[in-house]
Amino acid sequence: GRAARRELWPRAAAAAAPAAPTAAPSADLADEVPLFTMLRRPAQRLLSAFGAGLHARKIGHDANWAMYQLVETPLQFARVPGVAGCQTKALTGRYCAERRPAGSRDDGLLEGDVRRAKQALVERVAFFGITDRWAESIALFHAMTGTHPSGETLRVELGDNRRTPKNGFDSKKGPDSSGAGAGVTAGRYDEAALEGFVDEADEDLFAFALRLFEQRLRTHNITCEAVEELQQRAAA
């Protein structure tokens, strides 16, 4: 039953840990190439990863098999060792669910990783935006880079071709035949599905990023009017 499967998961995850850490993206490349990224609200990212077939990059073959057998809800997925803290790991040169280093927490992070991720966001990322503030992010990008896109370019940049799926979360079970769009509210996942789970590291990072984003909007005079003008050019 479900209770037995929940009880089995921690043991299955521990037994399925890969024998050696996987290679992280090259730090040398990150030092040489200007980085661009979009940050997402942590709860929305977790729910999207659950809906995208339990996406957990580099978790390992055996652990991935165990996860598919045992995980049934967004909360169970969020509690899988290594799944939380994905954006923090990405900014410190690691994959979301690669083997946790010795002494790490359940989310696979070490003391100081959030601080290092914030530092990387300021010092190594040339530009970042916020996914659910997409139009503002595009306007800020062009203001920071001094570029003047055509209407055709703006139509592509402001288009939404990765919409929240209509079938809710569980892609393993196929489309929602009722058409009710289970788990989706106004184009966003219903965060109640996480039953109060908080991705503490990524929430800390995201709050910092949001303050920096707002500061940059003010610095570059990205007002509601400026965003509307961009949208009008895209629609022309």
Side-chain angles (χ1 to χ4, degrees):
R2 290 190 177 186
R5 293 166 83 176
R6 282 195 294 269
E7 182 181 342
L8 276 171
W9 165 249
R11 295 198 294 273
T22 54
S26 167
D28 293 338
L29 178 62
D31 288 338
E32 296 172 4
V33 178
L35 302 178
F36 172 110
T37 191
M38 299 292 288
L39 297 181
R40 191 172 193 174
R41 293 186 182 278
Q44 292 293 307
R45 192 210 67 79
L46 280 169
L47 293 169
S48 176
F50 177 82
L54 308 183
H55 176 76
R57 180 77 169 155
K58 296 291 185 180
I59 195 172
H61 179 271
D62 291 338
N64 196 58
W65 180 87
M67 183 171 64
Y68 264 90
Q69 295 299 310
L70 301 172
V71 169
E72 296 178 340
T73 69
L75 177 61
Q76 290 172 355
F77 174 68
R79 286 177 171 169
V80 171
V83 164
C86 181
Q87 294 179 105
T88 299
K89 291 174 195 145
L91 284 168
T92 54
R94 293 167 55 208
Y95 292 107
C96 286
E98 68 180 74
R99 185 181 181 186
R100 294 177 290 145
S104 67
R105 311 177 319 191
D106 283 347
D107 57 12
L109 294 168
L110 295 168
E111 189 69 29
D113 275 353
V114 175
R115 175 184 54 79
R116 284 186 283 272
K118 292 175 182 178
Q119 184 177 1
L121 194 64
V122 173
E123 297 179 358
R124 297 174 62 186
V125 177
F127 173 82
F128 74 88
I130 305 294
T131 57
D132 62 356
R133 298 179 66 173
W134 191 271
E136 289 170 281
S137 297
I138 296 300
L140 180 61
F141 172 78
H142 289 296
M144 290 180 65
T145 57
T147 49
H148 304 281
S150 66
E152 183 179 0
T153 297
L154 286 172
R155 279 192 291 277
V156 174
E157 293 178 340
L158 294 173
D160 183 1
N161 63 358
R162 294 294 296 275
R163 296 180 181 178
T164 300
K166 296 294 185 183
N167 61 325
F169 300 121
D170 197 349
S171 60
K172 295 187 295 179
K173 295 181 180 177
D176 174 12
S177 58
S178 71
V184 177
T185 303
R188 293 178 63 183
Y189 294 106
D190 182 356
E191 295 174 12
L194 287 170
E195 301 178 48
F197 179 89
V198 176
D199 186 339
E200 294 180 358
D202 275 5
E203 287 288 356
D204 188 353
L205 172 66
F206 188 79
F208 171 82
L210 202 54
R211 291 193 297 272
L212 183 56
F213 180 75
E214 295 279 5
Q215 177 186 320
R216 290 178 177 178
L217 290 179
R218 292 191 295 271
T219 298
H220 293 277
N221 197 32
I222 305 301
T223 61
C224 291
E225 291 76 14
V227 174
E228 288 174 3
E229 189 272 335
L230 213 65
Q231 292 170 323
Q232 288 169 0
R233 285 171 54 200

